[in-house]
Amino acid sequence: MAEQQNQKNEQQEQDINQLLKVRREKLAALQENGKDPFVITKYDVTHHSQEIKDHYDALEGKNVSIAGRVMSKRIMGKASFCNVQDLQGNIQSYVARDSIGEESYADFKKYDVGDIIGIEGEVFTTKTGEISIHATKVTLLSKSLQILPEKYHGLVNTDIRYRQRYTDLIMNEEVKKTFVMRSKIISSIRRYLDEQGFLEVETPMLVSNAGGAAARPFETHYNALDEDVKLRISLELYLKRLIVGGMERVYEIGRVFRNEGLDTRHNPEFTLMELYQAYTDYNGMMDLTENMFRHVAKEVCGTTLIPYGDVEIDLGKPFARMTMVEAVKKYAGVDFDEIKDTAEAKKIADEKEVHYEERHKKGDILNLFFEEFVEEHLVQPTFITDHPIEISPLTKKKPDNPEYVERFELFITCREMCNAYSELNDPIDQRERFKAQEEALAAGDEEANTTDEDFLNALEIGMPPTGGIGYGIDRLVMLLTNSPAIRDVLLFPTMKSLDK
């Protein structure tokens, strides 16, 4: 059986090699006859496929010019049909010898699936009711020297899909729709924030101190300065410097880099948006977030009822709000308001089989309880507020309860969608928080922050009360496009090298 399969595989490989050879021979023949498609530098496109279908009444009988990839062909003697795929979809073209000329028709019959062509002709409807183009001229714009996957089965191998996204986009219409949607989502976010008076800015990616989040950075060496630098893990500390400088509302959408593993929710480089607004707090950030999510859903999806997997997410209703202590009490049955200290927290963690490290304090253990017992229940939009200070080094304390800070995370489909603070603007307190982070780093926490003296200097100059927030753009795109994994919304996700 295995031997038969090996023989079959060898035969298939020989057949493919022969087909590839034929394509190169066709190209050579075109070039010898002065018809090299690769010398063509431009082609005037007047319409796209869906545009023609949407405006058929106005375009019937009119001449149009389209360009795209041949996805199928049916040769029928003196007349043929081909299906051309462009940005908007597919459209059929009727190609007849008497309409384009004998020589051009002979050339057309030799074109392969995958070739890129331009078609000029008249818009009409076939006897079967399909909107088509009656070609008067066909131009070969690029010769495909590879073979596309067989159309009926499509491209289903996920590893190949991610590695060869270009082929994935050709063969899977839904994939292209996802990335068109991604672009529209980001544009919608920009429009919303611009209308709210925010300024879009850009800050450094190569930094000497990668702070603002709990994550391991990627490290590299800057040859010109002979200095070790890091790729940023966050946008926070530079954007806050701009708030100090008087730019009251700023945001940035950009790549950040975290030296961590890959799974359905994480990629080591991803798109983060952070925004900061002077003279507001985390309550203002909650209102802005809820309004923005609702606005983007309406504008891009046309509805606030978003299907995701087997559930429907309602972005139209007010988002639920509860503190982390309330959430743990509700879902784990443990009230951390009644727990006096770290020793008691560790005892209860042992009883509930929640694993912690020796360095962890009461607040860390509260967060571990939240991750263990609560996150899986947060399907509909829920703001979790008032985190323990131990896990929030850049956040203002709650005036009435300094063990906790003015912070929230938004959860939808059991995933954190964003993280927001009433920003810490006390430079003395901030120095103490950095000191605690340095101690955690020394104790083995590789994700702890280090002291940023220039940032402290900025705070000493004076930062107004400020609300700040960071959004995982990729996760928002996953939600609004009903995509189960982050790789499905990244055009080129990180993949292990095939050479390894």
Side-chain angles (χ1 to χ4, degrees):
M1 190 71 177
E3 185 176 344
Q4 289 178 342
Q5 185 61 46
N6 288 337
Q7 290 176 348
K8 183 179 179 181
N9 291 341
E10 288 176 8
Q11 184 60 49
Q12 286 178 341
E13 187 173 347
Q14 290 175 7
D15 292 344
I16 290 172
N17 289 337
Q18 181 59 33
L19 291 172
L20 293 175
K21 180 183 176 184
V22 168
R23 291 197 177 208
R24 280 162 173 75
E25 289 171 349
K26 287 181 179 180
L27 174 62
L30 287 166
Q31 291 169 332
E32 287 173 8
N33 292 321
K35 298 178 181 180
D36 185 353
F38 298 125
V39 304
I40 296 175
T41 58
K42 63 173 291 188
Y43 186 81
D44 292 327
V45 174
T46 64
H47 295 79
H48 284 84
S49 56
Q50 193 59 46
E51 181 185 4
I52 293 170
K53 295 174 183 178
D54 290 343
H55 300 93
Y56 176 74
D57 290 344
L59 292 172
E60 183 183 12
K62 302 287 180 61
N63 284 318
V64 297
S65 173
I66 69 161
R69 190 179 299 275
V70 177
M71 298 304 292
S72 64
K73 280 177 63 184
R74 283 181 291 147
I75 304 295
M76 301 181 297
K78 298 177 182 179
S80 302
F81 285 94
C82 70
N83 189 281
V84 176
Q85 177 177 290
D86 62 13
L87 173 66
Q88 295 182 353
N90 293 268
I91 194 164
Q92 179 177 265
S93 180
Y94 173 69
V95 183
R97 185 188 67 183
D98 292 345
S99 298
I100 69 170
E102 189 168 340
E103 182 179 349
S104 293
Y105 188 66
D107 288 338
F108 171 78
K109 289 198 295 184
K110 296 177 183 177
Y111 296 165
D112 293 304
V113 169
D115 288 351
I116 296 174
I117 64 173
I119 293 179
E120 298 174 40
E122 186 177 291
V123 177
F124 79 111
T125 303
T126 64
K127 292 178 181 179
T128 59
E130 184 169 354
I131 295 172
S132 305
I133 299 171
H134 188 151
T136 56
K137 184 177 182 181
V138 179
T139 305
L140 180 63
L141 302 175
S142 181
K143 181 69 186 167
S144 175
L145 300 180
Q146 276 287 355
I147 301 169
L148 292 177
E150 196 271 311
K151 183 66 178 176
Y152 179 77
H153 295 98
L155 180 61
V156 295
N157 182 301
T158 54
D159 189 71
I160 294 177
R161 285 184 54 221
Y162 297 140
R163 291 185 188 278
Q164 297 183 16
R165 183 67 84 186
Y166 43 88
T167 309
D168 191 25
L169 291 166
I170 294 168
M171 301 306 301
N172 295 317
E173 185 178 353
E174 290 302 314
V175 172
K176 185 184 289 184
K177 286 181 180 178
T178 293
F179 289 105
V180 171
M181 281 274 285
R182 180 187 176 103
S183 179
K184 290 180 177 179
I185 289 165
I186 294 173
S187 295
S188 180
I189 291 170
R190 284 193 164 104
R191 277 192 298 274
Y192 179 80
L193 292 177
D194 292 347
E195 289 170 2
Q196 299 297 315
F198 283 83
L199 297 173
E200 184 173 9
V201 299
E202 294 175 308
T203 61
M205 290 189 182
L206 288 173
V207 295
S208 58
N209 188 330
R216 291 178 61 188
F218 287 93
E219 299 181 2
T220 187
H221 186 76
Y222 194 167
N223 291 335
L225 299 180
D226 193 22
E227 289 182 0
D228 291 332
V229 292
K230 301 176 177 66
L231 289 172
R232 66 185 180 187
I233 60 173
S234 169
L235 313 174
E236 180 167 348
L237 300 185
Y238 279 98
L239 292 178
K240 284 183 178 178
R241 287 169 167 90
L242 300 181
I243 295 292
V244 170
M247 300 177 73
E248 294 182 2
R249 298 187 182 202
V250 294
Y251 75 96
E252 180 175 6
I253 300 173
R255 287 289 205 183
V256 296
F257 310 87
R258 299 182 181 180
N259 201 346
E260 56 190 22
L262 297 91
D263 58 33
T264 57
R265 302 186 191 188
H266 298 91
N267 195 72
E269 59 173 306
F270 61 97
T271 303
L272 181 66
M273 180 177 81
E274 292 196 31
L275 65 85
Y276 293 85
Q277 179 179 341
Y279 310 114
T280 191
D281 63 2
Y282 75 142
N283 291 302
M285 292 293 99
M286 269 188 268
D287 294 339
L288 182 148
T289 297
E290 188 168 337
N291 291 334
M292 186 179 74
F293 272 50
R294 197 167 290 135
H295 165 86
V296 173
K298 285 180 181 177
E299 188 170 273
V300 177
C301 303
T303 179
T304 56
L305 296 175
I306 307 299
Y308 192 81
D310 57 359
V311 299
E312 186 175 69
I313 303 301
D314 190 347
L315 298 176
K317 293 194 303 187
F319 294 5
R321 303 185 183 194
M322 69 175 83
T323 69
M324 184 177 283
V325 170
E326 290 169 344
V328 169
K329 183 177 179 180
K330 178 178 180 179
Y331 292 108
V334 176
D335 186 353
F336 269 74
D337 280 343
E338 300 297 321
I339 295 175
K340 300 181 183 65
D341 54 28
T342 297
E344 189 173 338
K346 288 183 175 180
K347 180 180 177 183
I348 293 175
D350 291 336
E351 292 172 2
K352 293 284 188 176
E353 297 184 347
V354 174
H355 301 291
Y356 56 87
E357 297 178 27
E358 187 59 36
R359 62 183 174 83
H360 283 154
K361 298 179 181 178
K362 175 186 170 182
D364 297 301
I365 293 170
L366 167 61
N367 187 55
L368 292 172
F369 267 78
F370 174 79
E371 293 173 351
E372 181 75 22
F373 295 105
V374 180
E375 284 189 11
E376 63 182 349
H377 298 286
L378 305 179
V379 178
Q380 294 299 326
T382 305
F383 288 116
I384 297 297
T385 68
D386 301 352
H387 293 53
I389 192 170
E390 290 88 344
I391 63 168
S392 311
L394 299 166
T395 317
K396 272 192 173 182
K397 298 174 186 175
K398 291 182 67 65
D400 58 344
N401 192 352
E403 288 186 12
Y404 298 92
V405 297
E406 294 190 348
R407 173 184 174 186
F408 74 78
E409 293 172 293
L410 172 62
F411 284 84
I412 306 177
T413 65
C414 312
R415 293 172 177 151
E416 176 202 334
M417 305 298 290
C418 61
N419 183 22
Y421 308 151
S422 293
E423 300 297 336
L424 180 61
N425 62 344
D426 178 346
I428 297 172
D429 189 356
Q430 181 64 80
R431 184 173 291 279
E432 290 301 312
R433 306 279 190 97
F434 275 141
K435 182 180 178 182
Q437 287 286 297
E438 296 274 11
E439 291 172 354
L441 185 66
D445 184 356
E446 295 181 329
E447 297 183 346
N449 287 193
T450 56
T451 302
D452 188 327
E453 290 292 347
D454 183 73
F455 176 65
L456 288 171
N457 184 64
L459 289 188
E460 288 178 357
I461 288 173
M463 186 174 85
T466 297
I469 189 164
Y471 300 89
I473 294 295
D474 306 307
R475 291 187 182 180
L476 176 57
V477 176
M478 288 169 65
L479 172 67
L480 296 182
T481 60
N482 196 6
S483 299
I486 192 170
R487 287 183 175 186
D488 295 324
V489 299
L490 298 175
L491 279 167
F492 301 102
T494 301
M495 303 287 290
K496 186 174 182 180
S497 172
L498 291 172
D499 295 333
K500 298 294 183 182

